[in-house]
């Protein structure tokens, strides 16, 4: 990969992203390096890339996602990369627009069925981690929710974006890295009515 433009402007930020990637990998979540927002644009390893948003740095990234600490550390040693997590492997992710997302999160907390929830302010959505294989249904449709499953990915905290870094609204530690079941998601969505 070429990429003097991927050199870190801020070594502290690079360290934070590397530590986050290693932490996800250590908990069994495969990691892929993602384009780094440098304050102006999303820089990746492809010179002709025109994607204006977080995205994996390789076009063919599926086979390269890893939980191996040495592999992950080597990616983040020299370059500023953000963090993407493949979906449909260990978890699916449901993208729910604000403000409904806040109500869903409140219902999950109230039911004591926490799950990792990330805020993606650039898109005005929250990301809910659920077990893989989730199917669209009327409840999710009514919220304009979008399921990211097999073959997709999500940007993970603290990936920098045009509107500030991705951040956890409910960090994985809070659910001890457990992922929400489909039944518990349904119960929370039913509680909204
Ligand atoms: Zn790119």
């Amino acid at each position: 990969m070429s990429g003097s433009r991927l050199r870190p402007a801020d070594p502290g930020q690079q360290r934070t992203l590397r530590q986050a990637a290693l932490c996800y990998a250590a908990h069994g979540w495969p990691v892929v390096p993602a384009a780094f927002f440098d304050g102006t644009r999303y820089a990746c390893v492809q010179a002709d890339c025109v994607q204006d948003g977080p995205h994996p740095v390789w076009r063919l990234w599926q086979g390269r996602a890893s939980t191996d600490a040495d592999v992950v550390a080597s990616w983040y040693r020299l370059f500023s990369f953000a963090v993407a997590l493949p979906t449909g492997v260990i978890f699916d992710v449901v993208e729910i627009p604000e403000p409904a997302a806040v109500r869903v999160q409140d219902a999950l907390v109230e039911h004591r069925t926490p799950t990792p929830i990330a805020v993606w302010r650039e898109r005005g959505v929250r990301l809910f981690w659920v077990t893989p294989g989730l199917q669209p249904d009327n409840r999710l449709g009514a919220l304009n929710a979008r399921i990211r499953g097999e073959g997709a990915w999500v940007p993970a905290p603290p990936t920098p974006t045009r509107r500030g870094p991705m951040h956890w609204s409910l960090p994985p530690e809070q659910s001890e890295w457990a992922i929400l079941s489909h039944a518990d998601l349904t119960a929370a969505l039913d509680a909204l009515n």
Side-chain angles (χ1 to χ4, degrees):
M1 62 189 80
S2 73
S4 55
R5 60 199 170 87
L6 290 175
R7 293 261 161 67
D10 175 356
Q13 189 179 29
Q14 187 185 17
R15 196 178 318 119
T16 304
L17 287 162
R18 183 177 67 231
Q19 284 167 350
L22 285 167
C23 179
Y24 298 138
H27 285 89
W29 293 5
V31 169
V32 176
F36 179 82
F37 182 67
D38 63 8
T40 308
R41 56 187 292 275
Y42 286 88
C44 78
V45 300
Q46 298 160 57
D48 59 343
C49 184
V50 294
Q51 291 196 63
D52 188 39
H55 60 280
V57 295
W58 304 302
R59 284 203 182 94
L60 301 173
W61 56 267
Q62 269 98 342
R64 300 178 73 172
S66 182
T67 56
D68 185 302
D70 292 336
V71 171
V72 173
S74 73
W75 290 334
Y76 288 84
R77 195 163 290 134
L78 295 177
F79 298 100
S80 274
F81 285 138
V83 186
L85 301 172
T87 52
V89 185
I90 308 295
F91 48 78
D92 282 357
V93 165
V94 185
E95 187 178 311
I96 302 179
E98 309 273 20
V102 178
R103 294 168 57 219
V104 176
Q105 179 171 334
D106 288 348
L108 290 171
V109 170
E110 197 172 308
H111 291 184
R112 293 197 177 83
T113 53
T115 194
I117 301 171
V119 177
W120 189 354
R121 207 185 311 157
E122 188 175 54
R123 280 202 176 217
V125 299
R126 292 190 188 196
L127 306 178
F128 294 74
W129 267 239
V130 300
T131 47
L134 187 66
Q135 298 301 318
D137 67 15
N138 292 338
R139 300 177 190 84
L140 291 169
L143 300 177
N144 289 320
R146 176 180 163 193
I147 299 168
R148 292 172 175 249
E150 204 179 338
W153 55 274
V154 287
T159 288
T161 78
R162 224 174 257 291
R163 295 196 58 197
M166 298 285 304
H167 68 271
W168 291 111
S169 174
L170 213 62
E173 291 80 14
Q174 209 139 319
S175 64
E176 296 174 335
W177 296 82
I179 306 296
L180 187 68
S181 71
H182 299 171
D184 286 340
L185 174 63
T186 300
L189 296 178
D190 282 342
L192 299 181
N193 303 321

